[in-house]
Amino acid sequence: MPFSGFDVLIPVLVVLVLLLVFAGIKTVPQGYNYTVERFGRYTRTLSPGLNIIVPFIDRLGARMNMMEQVLDVPTQEVITKDNATVSVDGVAFYQVLNAAQAAYQVAGLENAILNLTMTNIRSVMGSMDLDELLSNRDAINDRLLHIVDDAANIWGIKVTRVEIKDINPPKNLVDSMARQMMAERDRRAEILVAEGRKQAQILEAEGRREAAFRDAEARERAAEAEARATQMVSDAIAKGDLQALNYFVAQKYTEAMAQIGSAPNSKVVLMPMEASALIGSLGGIGQIAREVFGSDAPSSTRTSSSRPAAQPPFVNRDPTS
């Protein structure tokens, strides 16, 4: 059975319809936006999912990645404010917010962001001293983020972070910084040692002052005691009791003899005074004791006080002689 022209036209029309349907249906994956151009002019943006366009009239333009992306900033030389040359590299994070602006406002989006970031790194870090550059990395990152984000805003993107990864000064400069750091630490150590010595001297001086104060107080109390003893002796003499005077003189005599005998610079002590005077003084002490304790005092004391003593020419303290 021969086919007519109508029988051939129907399958052709079906095939054309299917082609038109498939040409007009566009699927956009998640995380992407596609721009649509009609006769070369931007008309709209396709969001993720199933979308329909007019076949052979509309066509897909730019396919924009809407996810946050990382852009590596290569190493570059930066001259600081104090003429120090350092090598700097970094990383930038950005995200496309408007696919049409990112596609049609700038040619070569990544290259534009990269050059913008590198230029501002040189500008920001070149206005700082080396010490400030090495110690204020967070401040540098914040300044770079605000500058680059404001400049890239017209491209429909959002710069979320700009980070400086490494700052590498020259080796000779690193050695100089190490010597400077050591000198600074030595200076701090010397200051701490000096402060410790100062505190030790202050505490020692305060200790000497306290000791002198205590010694003076002790001498004052001893002087008061001596004055009271002298006053008591004077009162006893005034009442006619001469034994108190004998006791006082004998005590002083005994103390003087003890000091002479304990001198370390001599072994033989010459006695140019009568030894009986000391025994007589001891007799006075015994008489006072008898008056205090009554007539029951030992008879040996009475005997020793009344016995005449010999008068040796000297007292030999050297046990070897």
Side-chain angles (χ1 to χ4, degrees):
M1 179 178 179
F3 291 98
S4 63
F6 184 75
D7 294 333
V8 176
L9 181 60
I10 291 176
V12 172
L13 291 176
V14 171
V15 171
L16 290 176
V17 170
L18 293 176
L19 290 176
L20 290 175
V21 169
F22 282 108
I25 296 176
K26 299 297 180 183
T27 302
V28 180
Q30 184 66 40
Y32 286 83
N33 280 355
Y34 293 171
T35 61
V36 177
E37 299 174 354
R38 178 169 295 177
F39 303 115
R41 182 179 180 181
Y42 168 76
T43 56
R44 61 194 178 96
T45 301
L46 301 181
S47 59
L50 185 63
N51 297 271
I52 298 176
I53 62 174
V54 179
F56 307 111
I57 296 177
D58 295 338
R59 70 180 185 89
L60 296 180
R63 293 171 170 83
M64 302 303 301
N65 187 346
M66 306 300 292
M67 296 179 288
E68 188 173 6
Q69 303 179 62
V70 182
L71 185 62
D72 189 25
V73 180
T75 303
Q76 60 178 331
E77 300 291 334
V78 176
I79 300 176
T80 62
K81 186 178 180 180
D82 52 353
N83 296 323
T85 303
V86 295
S87 299
V88 182
D89 61 353
V91 61
F93 296 82
Y94 71 95
Q95 184 177 12
V96 177
L97 300 180
N98 191 314
Q101 290 181 348
Y104 302 111
Q105 293 289 336
V106 61
L109 179 62
E110 289 189 358
N111 187 45
I113 298 174
L114 179 61
N115 283 276
L116 180 63
T117 304
M118 294 178 65
T119 302
N120 284 280
I121 287 176
R122 289 194 298 267
S123 177
V124 171
M125 301 182 70
S127 62
M128 305 172 67
D129 294 332
L130 180 61
D131 293 338
E132 185 181 3
L133 190 69
L134 296 175
S135 59
N136 294 326
R137 186 172 297 190
D138 292 338
I140 296 173
N141 294 335
D142 291 338
R143 290 181 59 184
L144 287 173
L145 177 60
H146 288 90
I147 294 173
V148 177
D149 184 44
D150 291 341
N153 190 30
I154 60 174
W155 300 336
I157 65 173
K158 172 67 177 178
V159 179
T160 57
R161 176 175 289 184
V162 178
E163 296 285 345
I164 299 298
K165 292 195 296 185
D166 293 320
I167 301 176
N168 299 317
K171 186 179 183 302
N172 57 352
L173 188 58
V174 173
D175 295 338
S176 299
M177 293 172 62
R179 291 194 298 270
Q180 180 182 2
M181 180 187 66
M182 291 299 298
E184 178 66 19
R185 293 186 179 276
D186 292 340
R187 183 183 68 85
R188 293 179 182 178
E190 292 177 358
I191 290 176
L192 291 177
V193 172
E195 288 290 337
R197 291 174 181 171
K198 176 182 176 183
Q199 292 296 328
Q201 292 175 358
I202 291 174
L203 293 176
E204 184 179 358
E206 290 180 353
R208 290 197 302 268
R209 184 184 66 177
E210 184 68 20
F213 176 77
R214 296 294 178 87
D215 291 340
E217 186 178 1
R219 289 194 298 270
E220 180 181 0
R221 293 184 178 180
E224 291 178 355
E226 185 73 17
R228 286 196 299 270
T230 305
Q231 183 65 36
M232 292 175 64
V233 172
S234 299
D235 294 340
I237 294 172
K239 294 178 181 179
D241 188 4
L242 298 179
Q243 297 301 326
L245 179 60
N246 292 333
Y247 173 77
F248 187 74
V249 173
Q251 182 183 8
K252 294 298 182 180
Y253 194 87
T254 305
E255 291 177 357
M257 291 299 295
Q259 292 179 359
I260 293 173
S262 62
N265 56 354
S266 63
K267 294 296 183 178
V268 178
V269 178
L270 297 178
M271 303 292 292
M273 72 287 290
E274 296 181 357
S276 59
L278 175 59
I279 298 176
S281 299
L282 295 176
I285 297 175
Q287 182 65 28
I288 295 173
R290 284 195 300 273
E291 292 180 359
V292 172
F293 297 104
S295 60
D296 295 334
S299 60
S300 61
T301 305
R302 292 194 299 268
T303 304
S304 63
S305 62
S306 60
R307 183 183 302 170
Q311 299 180 2
F314 61 89
V315 177
N316 189 357
R317 297 177 57 232
D318 192 353
T320 61
S321 59

